[in-house]
Amino acid sequence: MPRLEERLREEGFYFPTQEQLAAILYNESFGFCAEHPRGEATIPVDGRQLTPAEARALIRYSRLATALVVINRVRQRVGRRPGWTTSLSIPIAQRVTAPAEMREGGGYSLSSQGNQEAYSDCLTLAGEALQRKFAALRTIQHGYQFYSHTDSAHTSTILADRIPVREHIGPLYAPYRAETPYRYLHLAFRIDMLERAERWEQEAVSEFLEPFGVDTR
């Protein structure tokens, strides 16, 4: 599998560093709270009342899922810099996903209460996700390819071609949003892109192993 990463790099594709991936997760998941702002014992999520511990587990899962989406976009070679935007200077409308550099201001600063803990969790999750980048493609969240946070209940705004949402995480409470205090994480994939990536992976493995008498088919 490390040879697959070499091949990706030769073609101009690369995985984000742990710090870049942590910034993506932090930029995308800022505001998801594991404690109710009024100190109530439970948090409403998708019609259920979750304890802070249960909400925290859901937030952690959503961040890990987002990290795996970014990794899959590299593995599936979508776009010149698949899976993330490198700079905040790129207009929002032109971004593929969240920027790979930290946001400041607007409540994002690590000096704000609770933000350092949230970033530390994102950094840990980024490391966990990057450890999986050599796993067989189908084992990484079944080929998830897109993600987006949106106030829509069932549609992801990033999916312009109306790809069905295959996983819907949330709503998660975001108290800084006064009018609509809930946000959602949507994950989806296109089966044709997954199949194309699997063919590419099989071809790459065969190229390196068959000369040594290993039948990969």
Side-chain angles (χ1 to χ4, degrees):
M1 285 296 179
R3 297 296 296 273
L4 291 177
E5 183 172 19
E6 290 180 15
R7 179 166 173 173
L8 281 168
R9 290 181 180 277
E10 289 171 358
E11 296 182 9
F13 297 88
Y14 60 94
F15 287 91
T17 65
Q18 184 174 355
E19 289 72 22
Q20 286 178 318
L21 190 53
I24 293 169
L25 299 181
Y26 183 80
N27 292 338
E28 280 295 305
S29 61
F30 169 79
F32 287 176
C33 291
E35 296 180 3
H36 199 286
R38 293 189 297 275
E40 297 179 12
T42 59
I43 301 172
V45 177
D46 269 348
R48 297 173 296 154
Q49 294 293 324
L50 300 186
T51 66
E54 291 170 333
R56 190 175 298 114
L58 184 60
I59 293 166
R60 195 176 199 282
Y61 171 69
S62 74
R63 285 175 171 154
L64 180 58
T66 300
L68 294 175
V69 169
V70 174
I71 289 174
N72 258 9
R73 287 182 65 82
V74 180
R75 290 286 291 278
Q76 295 179 75
R77 304 185 301 174
V78 181
R80 182 62 186 168
R81 288 193 175 93
W84 72 95
T85 298
T86 55
S87 173
L88 288 165
S89 64
I90 298 175
I92 292 178
Q94 298 177 22
R95 293 177 185 173
V96 179
T97 60
E101 60 183 43
M102 291 292 294
R103 291 185 61 177
E104 294 290 340
Y108 283 79
S109 173
L110 293 181
S111 62
S112 299
Q113 183 178 1
N115 286 6
Q116 184 65 60
E117 180 181 348
Y119 176 74
S120 296
D121 184 53
C122 289
L123 190 64
T124 300
L125 285 174
E128 292 178 11
L130 286 168
Q131 289 175 12
R132 306 184 192 189
K133 67 183 181 183
F134 294 134
L137 190 68
R138 268 199 184 275
T139 68
I140 302 183
Q141 291 296 91
H142 308 292
Y144 284 139
Q145 184 181 13
F146 300 97
Y147 71 89
S148 173
H149 291 298
T150 171
D151 296 321
S152 168
H154 298 292
T155 337
S156 179
T157 55
I158 205 170
L159 306 182
D161 48 357
R162 303 303 178 191
I163 300 169
V165 171
R166 298 301 297 264
E167 180 112 8
H168 169 61
I169 302 172
L172 297 175
Y173 194 67
Y176 69 95
R177 299 170 66 98
E179 295 182 1
T180 52
Y182 295 97
R183 302 188 79 194
Y184 296 82
L185 171 71
H186 297 303
L187 300 177
F189 72 92
R190 285 177 50 183
I191 191 65
D192 62 320
M193 295 298 296
L194 175 60
E195 291 173 346
R196 187 179 79 177
E198 288 179 328
R199 288 195 298 271
W200 174 83
E201 187 169 80
Q202 180 69 43
E203 172 194 340
V205 171
S206 301
E207 176 184 343
F208 294 124
L209 296 185
E210 287 185 350
F212 297 95
V214 179
D215 184 5
T216 61
R217 306 191 187 284

